[in-house]
Amino acid sequence: GVQKKYEYKMRLVYAHFPINATITNGGGTVELRNFLGEKRVRIVNMLPGVKVEKSAGTKDELTITGTDIDLTSRSAALIRQSCLVKDKDIRKFLDGVYVSSHGTLED
């Protein structure tokens, strides 16, 4: 059976325009708004068995949990890839959603 759950913590990083993350679909979908001031809404669906929620204690942090390490890490990667800076110097424009820590959840 399943022994442990895996957890990825992701931080919303921005210099000027605050990225707005909305959790919909009961933790199955993330909507990212106002990335670099863009009007486009980025919708990222989690893979099956993976839940996402906003961290209670920390501002601008998402927590991704699941029992399958592959699906959990791929969901985190999908969120990260949705907010890549195009056509700008990525050394200067460090905005995005980055994995700050990952590991197993202790029950």
Side-chain angles (χ1 to χ4, degrees):
V2 174
Q3 298 292 319
K4 45 182 135 58
K5 286 184 106 177
Y6 296 94
E7 177 182 61
Y8 277 71
K9 288 187 184 295
M10 302 187 80
R11 297 298 299 265
L12 305 173
V13 179
Y14 50 85
H16 186 271
F17 293 104
I19 303 172
N20 184 316
T22 313
I23 312 295
T24 56
N25 206 356
T29 309
V30 186
E31 294 179 359
L32 297 160
R33 291 184 168 78
N34 203 29
F35 174 67
L36 293 178
E38 295 174 6
K39 290 292 173 207
R40 179 168 166 259
V41 178
R42 290 164 165 78
I43 298 171
V44 184
N45 293 312
M46 295 294 102
L47 297 162
V50 180
K51 287 263 184 253
V52 62
E53 63 247 353
K54 284 190 171 180
S55 296
T58 320
K59 180 178 173 280
D60 294 332
E61 187 172 64
L62 300 174
T63 309
I64 299 152
T65 51
T67 51
D68 188 341
I69 190 168
D70 292 323
L71 295 175
T72 310
S73 57
R74 271 176 55 205
S75 296
L78 288 170
I79 294 175
R80 178 171 146 63
Q81 288 173 343
S82 72
C83 283
L84 293 178
V85 181
K86 302 275 193 245
D87 302 326
K88 293 188 175 63
D89 186 354
I90 58 170
R91 295 168 299 181
K92 179 75 176 134
F93 291 85
L94 297 171
D95 298 28
V97 188
Y98 297 100
V99 174
S100 58
S101 69
H102 60 89
T104 58
L105 267 179
E106 301 303 321
D107 289 336

